[in-house]
Amino acid sequence: MRLNDLFEKYLYDIDLTHQDTTIDSIKYRYNSHIKDSFGEMELEQITYIKIKKFQKMLLDGKYKNNDNKKYSISYINILVKLLKRLMKYAILMNYVNFNIEESRGLETIRDIVNKDNFISKQIIWNLSEFNNFISCVDDEIYRILFNILYFCGLRKGEILSLRWDNIDLIESTITIDSSASKVVGRGQIVKAPKTKNSYRTIYIHETLKKELLNYYISEKT
């Protein structure tokens, strides 16, 4: 069996357990970065040594992104993990018969460590900086959206899927139970959050609550 054939079987098996956006990402990474190098190979030919060489070539910049730059170490790790996952899936499903040495060899493929990396400080606006920014926002809906983003810490997809049903102006809370994202061929969709921790209830301060109430009233009248 070729890796391309295995990949189709893998996609079929994960269809019910993965979000559409996740599957789109897996397809893109495979078709853009793995298919050309390994797609037509028989599974028995894809040894852990060849995967390590592929990892090294990515690191050395043999393969470049659309801007003709080397891929980041974090992205290289993602690509190699996908290739490893496919080979482990092949072993699990008995599509390939590797000996013990080859199977254990897959476990020796580890994430690359960026030795030159340094800890960078996350840029966070203080309240004064945010107030300077928000004072320049004239559109009421955008002003409310930016306030929710800043004071409640929502992700972009979460705020794009926000409904009035999620906002309790009596209890002063916002409940997060969905996220919006784009899916190839379908456009923007609203889906459940990826993890249980993404489901949460956030308390909002009095000023933001009044802004939301005033906007709600203006929309309903």
Side-chain angles (χ1 to χ4, degrees):
M1 181 186 292
R2 300 172 308 155
L3 186 65
N4 283 339
D5 301 323
L6 175 78
F7 186 63
E8 292 302 317
K9 292 179 179 294
Y10 176 75
L11 290 178
Y12 180 81
D13 276 354
I14 67 173
D15 184 58
L16 297 178
T17 58
H18 288 61
Q19 297 280 3
D20 289 340
T21 49
T22 302
I23 292 176
D24 279 346
S25 295
I26 291 172
K27 287 179 179 178
Y28 173 79
R29 290 162 186 163
Y30 180 84
N31 291 325
S32 300
H33 309 296
I34 297 175
K35 185 176 181 178
D36 286 346
S37 298
F38 295 95
E40 292 300 319
M41 282 190 184
E42 296 293 327
L43 296 179
E44 287 80 6
Q45 295 177 297
I46 307 174
T47 63
Y48 75 94
I49 293 176
K50 287 183 180 179
I51 296 176
K52 282 188 173 182
K53 287 182 178 179
F54 177 66
Q55 183 183 45
K56 183 69 165 55
M57 286 189 292
L58 286 169
L59 183 62
D60 291 341
K62 181 175 179 179
Y63 304 101
K64 303 286 183 66
N65 61 21
N66 292 333
D67 295 325
N68 201 33
K69 295 180 179 178
K70 293 199 302 184
Y71 292 107
S72 68
I73 286 179
S74 59
Y75 193 66
I76 292 172
N77 288 335
I78 289 173
L79 295 179
V80 174
K81 279 181 179 178
L82 173 57
L83 187 51
K84 279 179 58 180
R85 192 183 312 127
L86 290 172
M87 296 310 298
K88 287 184 176 181
Y89 172 76
I91 294 171
L92 177 67
M93 301 300 292
N94 290 322
Y95 293 135
V96 65
N97 186 22
F98 277 152
N99 57 36
I100 294 177
E101 178 185 356
E102 191 62 40
S103 298
R104 288 179 176 174
L106 287 174
E107 300 303 326
T108 67
I109 305 170
R110 306 291 177 85
D111 284 350
I112 300 170
V113 176
N114 188 351
K115 298 178 181 179
D116 299 323
N117 194 22
F118 60 91
I119 300 175
S120 58
K121 293 183 178 179
Q122 187 176 7
I123 299 174
I124 301 175
W125 280 352
N126 59 39
L127 185 57
S128 176
E129 291 169 327
F130 176 75
N131 286 335
N132 287 337
F133 161 76
I134 206 67
S135 66
C136 300
V137 180
D138 297 325
D139 191 297
E140 184 179 14
I141 183 60
Y142 283 112
R143 188 169 62 251
I144 291 173
L145 289 174
F146 285 129
N147 271 292
I148 294 173
L149 285 169
Y150 183 77
F151 290 107
C152 301
L154 269 65
R155 301 177 180 89
K156 182 176 69 173
E158 292 171 342
I159 199 165
L160 288 175
S161 69
L162 207 59
R163 312 178 304 278
W164 281 114
D165 291 345
N166 298 114
I167 301 172
D168 189 330
L169 294 174
I170 297 176
E171 297 295 332
S172 302
T173 61
I174 295 177
T175 299
I176 308 303
D177 60 4
S178 62
S179 181
S181 58
K182 288 185 178 180
V183 176
V184 176
R186 295 174 59 187
Q188 182 166 288
I189 65 168
V190 175
K191 57 185 179 62
K194 283 187 175 181
T195 66
K196 291 182 179 179
N197 291 334
S198 296
Y199 290 91
R200 61 198 189 280
T201 298
I202 301 167
Y203 288 93
I204 55 178
H205 59 68
E206 193 66 25
T207 302
L208 179 55
K209 185 174 80 169
K210 288 180 179 179
E211 287 190 359
L212 285 167
L213 178 59
N214 290 336
Y215 183 73
Y216 179 80
I217 293 172
S218 68
E219 286 292 296
K220 296 299 180 181
T221 56

